[in-house]
Structure formats: structure tokens, C-alpha cells
Amino acid sequence: MCPSPADFTEICAAQPPEPVAVDWDVVEGWLGVRLPGDYKRLAEECGPVELGGFLQVHVPCGDGEAYDWSRWLRRVLRDARGEDGCPVLHPEPGGLLPWGDSADGDLFFWDTSRSQDPDAWPVVVLHRGAVPGSGLLTWHRYEVGLGAYLRYTVREGWQTPTPPGPVIGPLYASRARPDFLADSPVPWVPPVPVPSRLTDAERLLALETGSGLDALRLLAPPPAEPYLGGGTWDGLFAELGTRLPAEYVRLMDLYGAGCWSEWLRFHTPLRTGERRFVTHVEETLSGYRRLRAGYPHEFPLPVWPEPGGFLPFANSIDGDYLGWLAQGPDPDGWPLVVWPRHARQGPPLDGGLVETLLAWQRGALVTPGLARLDEEEDDPVEFAGFRSWEEHAYW
């Protein structure tokens, strides 16, 4: 029998691991594959477990709050799919199936293509942290299963043959309840399938044939009462010294301020007082000017009210900014531009605001600074959405 962490580690008294009851027939039916015996033994003896304060093995469970094993599984598959050289992933036949992660962001999988017998599945690791001997290697396949791989990582105080490749460790011989659990693990319940909120005809319009606000409304329904703030458009234009594009005004009158797809935040345009629209603009551009002064080649945009200057109106949770280049006296002709947080500055976008939002919500827009859904894993209808701000919201 393959070794289990219970065979070669000591329990962490401050945070002992807790076994969890797993209905393996339900889990394997949901996954569409059987799982290795050493993994099932680990779940039954340890539950979800953290080895050496570093490597975490996830098993089917929840914590009654934020953690759910199936959501973790989906997130790992989405993250891995974006890595260079990514192999085939579950649920594709023979795809890599996740079982763990590390404090350095390493991801651990089984290679389900190697055998019809899950007990013969070897471990594959997406290395993101420093691993002695790994060189520039990112994906590494080991010719050992889960139990043996974990034994190789915990090498503190015992003799072992040379590990089968650049193995993480040696880790302390301890096992503990992982920090990702807010409370004791509870049995996992498969997610209930959610029927689409759109008919087939509506879905076709929302994702392919529709255009403008009609298609956007289908894809991301507007709130019953959009929140704009207590001021007026004329008051905002007077404070700014310019009108804003009519398309933006129409969009805001329909949706108001809020967050698109839990990621792109539109400022409240007509708020009065301290946290008004102009405050956000001034704070953003003050930071941009400082960066431009030190790194002019990396931050080349003119800054409003300079001619053709960047005038931001939205930002992302990752620190990207969306705005206009105020080129010319007619705001309706101003091009959109993204100031990306983690990429070089790109050119202005080709389309208008509604067209850009619609393409992004559909997953069809590829540009630095606007996060893209995984078109193989995410349903655009689920990805799309709009949540209105409340009156007290910061934005």
C-alpha cells in the first residue's frame, strides 16, 4: 500500500487536521473518473491537509463558508490553462486533474492519460516557486503516484533514494488543517446545475447577432434603479469644463455606477461632496503624472486637461484604468484607451464604449488591461453581469 501522510508526519497540535466523510461514488460520478486509492485513504485519515506548512492537499469538502472543493478545482484549471506549455486538462479525456497547491503557487495534478487504473496515475507539477534542479522547467512529470510523491517531499530526518526529479522540499514532517478552511471541513455537496436565464433565441442575440444596448441588456441586465449620485450632468460638465460622450451618459442613465463582472468598476458620476467623480479623476492622474515623470517611455499618455489627455472614468480591481483620450472639442469622437497595470501601454481601442463592453462581456475582446474570461471553461452568460453601487459605496 502506498504511504499516507499519517504514516510519516506528526500532527500539528495547534491546528490538527480533521478527516471528512466523502461519498466517493458521488464525487467520481461528478468528475467522470475514478480516483486513486491513496488519495481516498488520505481523505479518510487526514481530510484536507497541509504538509510542512507549505504543500496543501485538497479533498472533496467545504467549510460551510467560503471554501468549496469544486470551486477550487475549477479555479486551478482556469489558472493552469493560461500557462505556457499547458498540457491537456480535465475534463478533456486524459486531462490533468488537480489535487493540491503550495504556498508558492505551485499546482499539483495527476496525469490521467497514463492508465485506465487511477492508482497508476503519475504526478505532474506546475512549478511556480524555486525548486533546486528545476532550471527553467515549469511543468514536470514524475513517475510516481500521490503517496510516493508526498513521501519524497517530506524528507526531514529520514534516508531516501534520489528523488525522481526536482522535488519540492524537504518539508517538515508535520500535518495540519490548511489555512484555506475557515472552519472544520464538512462533506462536499455537488453544485446544483443552474438553468440558463436566457432562452436559446435570447442567447444568440446576446452573444452573437445582437448589438448595442439591446444586446448588452440581455447579457447584463441593468438594475431597476440605477445609482448616479445626487447631482446633475450639467453640474458635472461645469465642474469638469467639458461635456462627456453622449454614449457614456446613455449607458450611465441605464445602468448607473457599479461593477461589471465583479471586476470593472465605474465611478459614480453625479455624486456630490468629497468622493465625487472629479476626485477620482484627479487622484488617478496625479499618480500617472508622477509615473510619467520618472518613466516617460512606459507612461506615454498625455494627461487631461492637456490636449488629447487621458480622462479616466473606470478602473479594475487589479489597478487597470479605462478612460478617453480627449482629442478635439467633440467628446463623441474621443477614443477609448486602457491604462494597463501589468502590461505596456497599448493603442486606443477601435470601438465605442457600449461596443467595447459588449465585446468584453462576450469574451471576444483581447487587449491588455481588460481581463479575459477563459472561453473553454467559462460561459459568457455566467461571466457577464452588473452590480449597482449603493449610495454609500466608495466608488
Side-chain angles (χ1 to χ4, degrees):
M1 180 181 291
C2 291
S4 162
D7 300 330
F8 53 82
T9 59
E10 298 294 330
I11 291 176
C12 174
Q15 199 163 310
E18 301 177 51
V20 62
V22 179
D23 188 329
W24 294 110
D25 289 339
V26 170
V27 169
E28 292 172 336
W30 183 79
L31 282 173
V33 294
R34 293 185 299 118
L35 293 170
D38 53 4
Y39 177 70
K40 295 179 181 179
R41 180 186 170 200
L42 180 151
E44 292 161 1
E45 293 180 346
C46 304
V49 65
E50 182 176 86
L51 301 181
F54 184 78
L55 193 160
Q56 302 170 130
V57 182
H58 294 248
V59 304
C61 70
D63 65 0
E65 295 188 29
Y67 179 77
D68 176 82
W69 170 73
S70 53
R71 288 201 301 269
W72 170 82
L73 195 75
R74 183 176 181 181
R75 177 176 56 79
V76 169
L77 292 169
R78 181 187 296 114
D79 290 350
R81 192 169 281 111
E83 294 287 339
D84 291 340
C86 177
V88 173
L89 298 175
H90 182 81
E92 293 296 320
L96 300 187
L97 180 61
W99 56 260
D101 52 26
S102 82
D104 277 350
D106 310 292
L107 301 177
F108 302 88
F109 305 82
W110 292 289
D111 181 356
T112 69
S113 70
R114 296 293 291 273
S115 175
Q116 296 296 315
D117 179 6
D119 292 330
W121 289 347
V123 167
V124 174
V125 182
L126 170 56
H127 290 297
R128 286 170 166 167
V131 181
S134 65
L136 299 177
L137 194 62
T138 301
W139 294 91
H140 194 97
R141 190 182 310 276
Y142 299 87
E143 296 304 323
V144 295
L146 170 67
Y149 180 83
L150 295 179
R151 189 68 172 98
Y152 276 112
T153 67
V154 181
R155 305 193 298 278
E156 193 78 11
W158 70 291
Q159 298 298 316
T160 179
T162 302
V167 179
I168 291 168
L171 303 180
Y172 295 112
S174 65
R175 64 184 188 274
R177 192 183 78 188
D179 288 338
F180 61 72
L181 291 176
D183 207 337
S184 297
V186 298
W188 176 74
V189 178
V192 177
V194 178
S196 176
R197 58 181 173 80
L198 300 180
T199 66
D200 289 346
E202 289 172 333
R203 186 180 178 89
L204 183 64
L205 282 170
L207 296 180
E208 297 182 33
T209 60
S211 61
L213 283 175
D214 289 341
L216 190 63
R217 290 173 68 123
L218 278 176
L219 202 52
E225 297 184 7
Y227 177 65
L228 292 163
T232 66
W233 287 111
D234 287 341
L236 174 62
F237 298 162
E239 185 174 22
L240 284 171
T242 179
R243 290 188 302 108
L244 296 179
E247 184 180 35
Y248 169 75
V249 175
R250 288 194 298 271
L251 179 76
M252 298 306 291
D253 282 341
L254 178 61
Y255 283 91
C259 192
W260 294 82
S261 297
E262 302 296 330
W263 190 81
L264 184 61
R265 304 177 293 200
F266 274 55
H267 301 317
T268 307
L270 306 184
R271 177 180 287 144
T272 57
E274 184 178 358
R275 300 306 311 172
R276 62 195 190 280
F277 185 88
V278 172
T279 306
H280 290 295
V281 171
E282 291 173 346
E283 289 180 349
T284 301
L285 296 184
S286 176
Y288 192 92
R289 287 188 185 95
R290 290 194 298 271
L291 291 169
R292 187 178 63 174
Y295 310 95
H297 296 295
E298 296 182 33
F299 300 91
L301 298 179
V303 175
W304 184 86
E306 299 171 17
F310 176 53
L311 176 55
F313 61 86
N315 66 13
S316 80
I317 62 174
D318 293 325
D320 312 280
Y321 287 85
L322 177 64
W324 302 281
L325 292 180
Q327 298 173 350
D330 181 8
D332 294 333
W334 292 352
L336 285 171
V337 68
V338 178
W339 169 23
R341 174 68 176 81
H342 299 288
R344 291 186 179 278
Q345 180 63 55
L349 304 180
D350 291 333
L353 178 56
V354 171
E355 181 183 344
T356 296
L357 270 177
L358 184 58
W360 175 60
Q361 294 271 281
R362 286 171 166 173
L365 179 64
V366 181
T367 190
L370 286 179
R372 186 185 185 192
L373 82 163
D374 187 318
E375 64 271 32
E376 295 184 11
E377 188 70 18
D378 293 322
D379 183 344
V381 174
E382 295 179 10
F383 172 82
F386 178 81
R387 179 171 59 86
S388 180
W389 295 142
E390 300 293 336
E391 184 172 355
H392 60 270
Y394 176 86
W395 303 104

